[in-house]
Amino acid sequence: MFSPYEGIRDVFLRGRDIELYIYDRYGLLISHNKAGDGWDGTYKGKFVDPGVYVYVAKLSDGTVKKGTIEVIKE
């Protein structure tokens, strides 16, 4: 789970050497980050709606991790 709204767990998958892609449930790319800054839960400057999002993380060693992350509003 990930909750960007209240400052609790406010960045998803931050880390050096991670290229991160976030997609909504329709397959729309809503975030792409090459700098390892993670995802702050926004799309076009506004917080996304609570729900399930798909991530693809490409690590510097070539490993690709895929999964889902649930954005919640507590």
Side-chain angles (χ1 to χ4, degrees):
M1 288 186 291
F2 166 61
S3 180
Y5 310 101
E6 288 90 22
I8 301 167
R9 300 183 82 185
D10 56 352
V11 176
F12 172 68
L13 206 60
R14 178 183 292 161
R16 295 184 319 180
D17 302 325
I18 297 175
E19 185 173 357
L20 181 64
Y21 299 82
I22 304 289
Y23 299 90
D24 69 8
R25 64 181 172 174
Y26 303 108
L28 176 69
L29 179 64
I30 60 170
S31 179
H32 175 223
N33 185 312
K34 291 183 179 181
D37 294 333
W39 178 47
D40 64 359
T42 62
Y43 175 60
K44 293 187 177 180
K46 296 182 182 179
F47 285 116
V48 298
D49 291 330
V52 177
Y53 295 81
V54 175
Y55 71 88
V56 177
K58 295 182 179 179
L59 309 180
S60 61
D61 67 0
T63 305
V64 176
K65 303 284 185 177
K66 299 177 183 179
T68 58
I69 182 71
E70 183 177 3
V71 175
I72 62 169
K73 191 167 187 176
E74 296 179 353

